[in-house]
Amino acid sequence: MIATLNKSKTALTINRQEFKLALAKIDAGIEKQISAFKKAKQSYSAAEMANEVISEANIFEAIIEGFNEAEGTNLKLADITNMEVAQGWIDEFLEKYSEV
């Protein structure tokens, strides 16, 4: 599971390993797009593509919505206990593409 709901159902903690696996799947999709652009000899910005995918995915909002629906909770983004750390994982992910 990508996050763990605490016993009182008032907070979530993003699980590092599962979150990184989700980012790896996003990475594979971006790499596939880049490969297609290269084959077609089209220009692209890897950093722009990665930023766009991450922003469109709304990862944290999707996690919250999933738990709210599945668990009948009313959690908000502020209820993610390790949001700053998880945002750091996203920043690391995006750095990879800013260096391409």
Side-chain angles (χ1 to χ4, degrees), residues 16-71:
R16 183 182 189 278
Q17 185 175 356
E18 294 294 323
F19 194 77
K20 293 270 188 161
L21 283 173
L23 288 176
K25 289 180 182 181
I26 292 170
D27 182 50
I30 292 170
E31 291 297 328
K32 196 180 270 188
Q33 268 189 313
I34 288 172
S35 179
F37 280 130
K38 283 181 179 177
K39 280 183 183 176
K41 297 183 180 184
Q42 293 179 328
S43 63
Y44 64 91
S45 165
E48 210 173 285
M49 287 171 53
N51 279 304
E52 190 174 314
V53 168
I54 290 296
S55 65
E56 285 181 12
N58 293 318
I59 295 169
F60 299 121
E61 288 178 18
I63 292 169
I64 291 289
E65 286 176 21
F67 272 90
N68 283 342
E69 189 175 309
E71 299 289 335

